Amino acid sequence: MTDPVTRTPPRYRLVDCDVHPITKHGLADLRPFLSTAERRRLGLDERRALTATGHREAVSIPRNMLYVNPAGVLRDDARAPDGSAPGADPLFTARHLLDAHGIDRAVLIGGEVLGLGAMPDPDAAAMIASAYNRWLAATWFDADDRYRGYIVAGAQDPHLAAREIRRAAQDERFVGVLLPLTDLLMGQRHHYPIYEAAHDLGLPVAVHPNSGEGIFRTSPPMAGGTPTYYVEWHSGLSQVFQANVISLVCHGVFERFPGLKVIITEGGLGWIPDVMWRLDKNVRGLRDEVPWVRRLPSEYIVDHVRFTTQPLPEPRRRHHLHVLCEIAHAERTLMFSSDYPHWDFDDPRYALTSLPESIRQRVSSENAIETYGDRL
Amino acid sequence: MTDPVTRTPPRYRLVDCDVHPITKHGLADLRPFLSTAERRRLGLDERRALTATGHREAVSIPRNMLYVNPAGVLRDDARAPDGSAPGADPLFTARHLLDAHGIDRAVLIGGEVLGLGAMPDPDAAAMIASAYNRWLAATWFDADDRYRGYIVAGAQDPHLAAREIRRAAQDERFVGVLLPLTDLLMGQRHHYPIYEAAHDLGLPVAVHPNSGEGIFRTSPPMAGGTPTYYVEWHSGLSQVFQANVISLVCHGVFERFPGLKVIITEGGLGWIPDVMWRLDKNVRGLRDEVPWVRRLPSEYIVDHVRFTTQPLPEPRRRHHLHVLCEIAHAERTLMFSSDYPHWDFDDPRYALTSLPESIRQRVSSENAIETYGDRL
C-alpha cells in the first residue's frame, strides 16, 4: 500500500470490474465473426434446414432455466431509446453508467457467454468464445475508450482456450481471461494450459456466477442437493467460489503459477473468513496430503485472489462489515464492481461509503490498477 | 438469557453435544436387536450363502471411501485396554472423556450410522436405524447415567422414520433425532413427517457430517464439482450445512413447525454471517417467491438453529472469533462439543477459553439445557 501521506493520486479514481455487455440479437450478433463453416456448424447461417425435411435450430448457450428471478434479471432502465435489450447499447451504457457515476474504466465481462462452460461440445464452445472476443472488441471497445474487457475462454478444451487467449491478448484492451466454470473445480490440472497462457501474458483469470456451475451437468449448484427456489440458489451461489478457492489452494496452483491472480467476480465476501480459517487449520493437520502447499492458505488467498464488491454484504451493524474487510485484507483484495445492468446493481455512491474510509480508494481503483496492470 | 447477577448455577456445568459411540464389530453388534427376517434381509445371519452357490455378503452402510484422512480418523488413545476399536467401550469412554474433562452429560451421535442417508434401500435403512437405537440404549445408556443420545432416523422413508422416532422416544434418555443427510435438502417436504414427530415430542433434529452428503448419489460433496483431496473435502464440508440452513429457511420449515430446533453438529461457524447476510438481503429482494418467509432469515436462524463448537474457528486474532460469536448470537446458538473420539477432538480446557468470557457458561451447558430440555 502507498503511504497515505506521500501518495500520489491514482491513475483512475473509479474502476468498475463487473459490467455485462448484452448482445442485441443473441448469438446471431456473432455471425460476422464466424467463418462460413463455423456458421453452418453452429446453425447460425441462413439455411433453415440441414436436410430437406429437418428443421434447423441454432446452437444456444445453456442458461439458467431452473431458477427464474421473479424480479427480472436486467434493469429495464438500462434499455437504449432504440428499444434494444437492456445493456445492449455501448453508447447508451457509456452515458447511463460511466458518465453518470464517474467511472474511468469499466471491465466488460461476457453476458450471454457466462454459461459457456455448460456446453458439452468443446469445439462449439471454442468457436463461440473466439467470435465473441472479436465481437466485443469491434462493438464495445471501439465505441468508447473507457471500456476494457475479458477474453472468454472455453475451458472444455484448455489447449484451444490457451491459443485463443494468446491470439486475443494482442489487443491490449483485453485485461484478463474469463473462465466460464464447468463442473471441474479450478485446481484440477485440466485448466493448467489456460493458467499458463494467462500467467505468461500477465492476465488475471476471472470467474463469475453463470449458468454453468453444474446445473446442467453432473453437479447441483449447491452442496448437499438441488435447491428449489431462485432465492435459495442465489443465496447459495457463493459456495461455488468457496469450493474453487479451496481447490486452487490445495492443488498448489499458486505455487505452480506464482504470478497468477484469480478474480472472484460477484461471488460475495462473507465466506472468506470461513474458508481461510478452515483451510489454515486443515492444512496444518493434513500437510502430508498436500505437501506443495508451503504457505498458510490464507496467505495465498491474500496474495493471489481478488474479490469484487457487488453484492456487498449488508449486515445490520456496519462494524461487522469492517471486521470482515480486515479479515479478508480488503485493502489488497477488494475491487469495486456494479454488476450493471443486472437487477441487483450496486451504486458506487452507496456501496463504497459503507466501507472503511481508509480503504475506499484502494477498493475504488488502486487494487484494480495493480491487478490488471498497464493494460487497464 | 438469565440475568448474570441473579442467575442460579445451571443444572450441569459442561455438556458435550457430539460424542461418537463406535461399535465393536460393526453392524454385527446389531444382531441381537434384529428379527430373524431382518438379519436374513441384511445378510447379518449366520448363513454364508443365499443360494447353494452364491457367496453371502453382509449389508454395509456407505462410508467415505473417496477421501482418506492420512492422519487417521479415530484417536488411537481412545482404545480400551481390551484392544477394541477406539471409542467402542462405554466404560472406558466414561473415564477417558467424561471423568477426565468433568463432562456432566454427553450426547451420543451415531458413529457408523452417520452414512445411513446414502443407503438406497429405505427398508434396510429403517431396520438398521431401529436396531441401532435399541443397541445404543442397551449398550451405552445402561453403562453410565451421563450418556444421552440421538434417535437415528432413516430419512429415505419419512413415515417409517416418524414411527421409529415415536417408538424410541419412549426411552427418555433419547434427547433428539439424528437425521443422516441424503441428497435431498432439509427444506424439502419429504422430511416433514420427521419434523412433525420431532416437533410433537419436543425433540431437536440434528445433522452431522457423514458419508451420505451425496458422495455416493447424485450430488458431489461440494458445490461446483468433486474435490480431489481429503483436505479439500474437509475444508468444504461446511457447504452442506450452509445449503441446508438456506433450504430450511426458504421453505418456511420454521413457520410450519414453530417449536422445531435444528442442531448443526460439526458444521463449523465461520459461514453463519455469510448465510445470514445473503439470505436477509435476498429474501428482501425476492419476497414474492417465498411469501411464507415472514421474518428476517437471520431471526429464524437465531431462534431455531443451534451450532456445536467443534471444529472451532482458530483465527489469528481472537477478536475475530469474538465478532463472529456476536454476529451468530453465540450466547443463544452455540453449544460445546468435543467430537470424541475423532482425530480433531477439541479439548474443553482450550476450546472454551478462546470464547468471550461472558458467553462461556451459555456455551458450556446452558444452551444445551435449553435445547434438549428436561430429557438431558
Side-chain angles (χ1 to χ4, degrees):
Chain A
M1 269 179 81
T2 324
D3 176 343
V5 179
T6 61
R7 69 204 259 178
T8 49
R11 190 150 48 105
Y12 308 119
R13 299 251 330 267
L14 185 55
V15 177
D16 186 341
C17 301
D18 183 15
V19 174
H20 298 291
I22 308 294
T23 57
K24 292 198 175 184
H25 310 97
L27 289 183
D29 286 15
L30 304 187
R31 276 199 195 118
F33 308 97
L34 291 161
S35 71
T36 307
E38 288 171 334
R39 286 201 296 271
R40 282 194 59 174
R41 174 69 186 75
L42 299 173
L44 291 169
D45 56 355
E46 300 302 325
R47 298 189 329 150
R48 301 297 305 161
L50 189 62
T51 67
T53 53
H55 179 72
R56 187 150 177 80
E57 299 264 359
V59 73
S60 60
I61 296 175
R63 47 191 280 276
N64 188 351
M65 298 179 75
L66 297 185
Y67 306 104
V68 173
N69 183 334
V73 163
L74 295 177
R75 284 176 59 169
D76 207 50
D77 69 343
R79 204 185 282 281
D82 70 358
S84 56
D89 188 311
L91 296 173
F92 179 81
T93 297
R95 289 197 304 278
H96 190 228
L97 174 68
L98 309 186
D99 294 350
H101 296 95
I103 291 168
D104 298 305
R105 287 289 181 268
V107 184
L108 302 171
I109 185 161
E112 292 91 339
V113 291
L114 290 168
L116 195 74
M119 292 192 76
D121 181 336
D123 293 308
M127 286 174 206
I128 291 172
S130 183
Y132 191 88
N133 294 331
R134 295 168 205 261
W135 168 83
L136 192 67
T139 313
W140 283 76
F141 294 168
D142 286 355
D144 195 295
D145 274 351
R146 291 168 292 182
Y147 290 130
R148 294 292 181 271
Y150 285 106
I151 300 165
V152 180
Q156 290 89 333
D157 183 330
H159 295 284
L160 286 180
R163 197 164 75 190
E164 171 63 12
I165 291 166
R166 293 182 200 277
R167 182 204 66 74
Q170 294 170 47
D171 182 336
E172 298 221 332
R173 297 171 297 183
F174 283 111
V175 298
V177 174
L178 166 64
L179 190 71
L181 291 169
T182 65
D183 48 13
L184 274 183
L185 289 167
M186 289 178 76
Q188 300 274 6
R189 287 167 210 190
H190 174 90
H191 297 105
Y192 293 3
I194 295 172
Y195 301 152
E196 190 180 12
H199 191 254
D200 287 353
L201 293 156
L203 298 174
V205 172
V207 292
H208 187 284
N210 56 71
S211 310
E213 290 103 359
I215 291 181
F216 298 95
R217 300 180 74 181
T218 63
S219 60
M222 282 209 290
T226 300
T228 307
Y229 301 112
Y230 185 94
V231 63
E232 284 181 274
W233 170 74
H234 201 263
S235 298
L237 260 181
S238 61
Q239 292 183 10
V240 175
F241 304 102
Q242 299 171 36
N244 278 300
V245 168
I246 290 170
S247 176
L248 285 162
V249 168
C250 292
H251 282 256
V253 169
F254 301 121
E255 285 288 335
R256 197 181 282 248
F257 303 102
L260 187 67
K261 294 273 197 305
V262 169
I263 302 171
I264 308 290
T265 315
E266 201 179 319
L269 308 173
W271 51 271
I272 300 171
D274 188 45
V275 167
M276 283 182 169
W277 295 339
R278 289 183 76 95
L279 274 176
D280 282 357
K281 183 170 185 166
N282 286 342
V283 163
R284 268 192 290 246
L286 296 163
R287 65 173 71 81
D288 289 351
E289 192 186 29
V290 285
W292 44 83
V293 181
R294 284 190 277 201
R295 301 167 61 199
L296 270 184
S298 58
E299 295 175 13
Y300 289 113
I301 294 171
V302 172
D303 283 354
H304 292 275
V305 186
R306 298 292 171 260
F307 307 93
T308 64
T309 54
Q310 189 279 337
L312 200 69
E314 294 175 9
R316 283 188 230 194
R317 291 189 56 195
R318 187 161 289 184
H319 169 62
H320 293 157
L321 176 62
H322 292 193
V323 174
L324 169 62
C325 287
E326 179 181 302
I327 301 171
H329 289 270
E331 77 282 358
R332 292 182 59 200
T333 59
L334 191 60
M335 314 197 296
F336 171 73
S337 66
S338 72
D339 194 29
Y340 184 94
H342 280 174
W343 67 296
D344 47 355
F345 170 81
D346 271 353
D347 187 320
R349 281 170 297 199
Y350 305 107
L352 289 167
T353 52
S354 71
L355 297 172
E357 203 282 331
S358 61
I359 70 167
R360 252 176 244 165
Q361 193 56 53
R362 299 289 306 167
V363 175
S364 300
S365 68
E366 291 174 5
N367 286 333
I369 292 168
E370 286 176 14
T371 302
Y372 296 112
D374 292 341
R375 287 171 173 250
L376 189 66
Chain B
M1 268 178 82
T2 324
D3 177 341
V5 179
T6 62
R7 70 205 257 179
T8 49
R11 193 150 46 105
Y12 307 119
R13 300 250 332 265
L14 185 56
V15 177
D16 187 342
C17 302
D18 182 15
V19 175
H20 298 291
I22 308 294
T23 57
K24 292 198 175 183
H25 309 98
L27 289 183
D29 286 15
L30 304 187
R31 276 198 196 119
F33 307 97
L34 291 162
S35 71
T36 308
E38 287 171 335
R39 286 202 295 272
R40 282 192 61 172
R41 173 70 186 76
L42 298 172
L44 291 169
D45 55 354
E46 300 303 324
R47 298 190 329 150
R48 300 299 303 162
L50 189 61
T51 67
T53 53
H55 179 71
R56 186 147 177 84
E57 299 264 358
V59 73
S60 60
I61 296 175
R63 47 190 282 276
N64 188 352
M65 299 179 75
L66 297 184
Y67 306 105
V68 174
N69 183 335
V73 162
L74 294 176
R75 286 175 60 169
D76 207 48
D77 69 345
R79 204 186 283 280
D82 70 359
S84 56
D89 188 310
L91 295 173
F92 179 81
T93 297
R95 289 196 305 277
H96 191 229
L97 174 67
L98 309 186
D99 294 350
H101 296 95
I103 291 168
D104 299 304
R105 287 289 180 267
V107 184
L108 302 171
I109 186 162
E112 292 91 340
V113 290
L114 290 168
L116 196 73
M119 293 192 76
D121 181 336
D123 294 309
M127 286 172 208
I128 292 172
S130 183
Y132 191 88
N133 295 330
R134 294 168 206 262
W135 168 83
L136 193 68
T139 313
W140 283 76
F141 293 170
D142 286 355
D144 195 295
D145 274 350
R146 290 168 291 181
Y147 290 130
R148 295 291 181 272
Y150 285 106
I151 300 165
V152 180
Q156 290 90 333
D157 183 329
H159 296 282
L160 285 180
R163 198 165 73 189
E164 170 62 13
I165 291 166
R166 293 183 200 274
R167 183 204 66 75
Q170 294 170 47
D171 183 335
E172 298 221 332
R173 297 171 298 182
F174 282 111
V175 297
V177 173
L178 167 64
L179 190 71
L181 291 169
T182 65
D183 49 13
L184 273 184
L185 288 166
M186 289 178 77
Q188 299 275 4
R189 287 169 210 191
H190 174 89
H191 297 105
Y192 292 4
I194 296 171
Y195 301 153
E196 190 180 9
H199 191 255
D200 288 352
L201 293 156
L203 298 173
V205 173
V207 292
H208 186 285
N210 55 71
S211 310
E213 291 102 0
I215 290 180
F216 297 93
R217 299 180 74 181
T218 62
S219 59
M222 282 209 292
T226 300
T228 307
Y229 302 112
Y230 186 94
V231 64
E232 285 181 273
W233 171 74
H234 201 265
S235 298
L237 259 181
S238 62
Q239 291 183 11
V240 175
F241 304 101
Q242 300 171 36
N244 278 300
V245 169
I246 290 170
S247 176
L248 284 162
V249 168
C250 291
H251 282 256
V253 169
F254 300 120
E255 285 288 336
R256 196 181 285 248
F257 303 104
L260 186 68
K261 295 273 196 306
V262 168
I263 302 171
I264 308 291
T265 316
E266 201 178 318
L269 308 173
W271 50 271
I272 300 172
D274 188 44
V275 167
M276 282 183 171
W277 296 339
R278 290 182 77 95
L279 274 176
D280 282 355
K281 184 170 184 166
N282 286 342
V283 164
R284 268 192 289 247
L286 296 163
R287 65 172 70 80
D288 289 351
E289 192 185 29
V290 285
W292 46 82
V293 182
R294 286 190 276 199
R295 301 168 61 199
L296 270 183
S298 58
E299 295 175 12
Y300 289 113
I301 294 172
V302 172
D303 283 353
H304 294 274
V305 186
R306 299 292 170 261
F307 307 93
T308 63
T309 54
Q310 188 279 339
L312 199 70
E314 295 174 9
R316 281 187 230 195
R317 291 189 55 197
R318 187 161 289 185
H319 169 63
H320 292 156
L321 177 62
H322 292 194
V323 174
L324 169 62
C325 287
E326 179 180 302
I327 300 172
H329 288 269
E331 77 284 358
R332 293 182 60 199
T333 59
L334 191 59
M335 312 196 298
F336 171 73
S337 66
S338 72
D339 195 30
Y340 184 93
H342 280 174
W343 67 297
D344 46 357
F345 171 82
D346 272 354
D347 187 320
R349 282 170 296 200
Y350 306 108
L352 288 167
T353 53
S354 70
L355 296 172
E357 204 282 331
S358 61
I359 69 168
R360 251 175 245 165
Q361 194 54 53
R362 299 288 309 167
V363 175
S364 300
S365 68
E366 292 176 1
N367 287 333
I369 292 168
E370 288 176 12
T371 302
Y372 296 113
D374 291 341
R375 288 172 173 249
L376 189 66

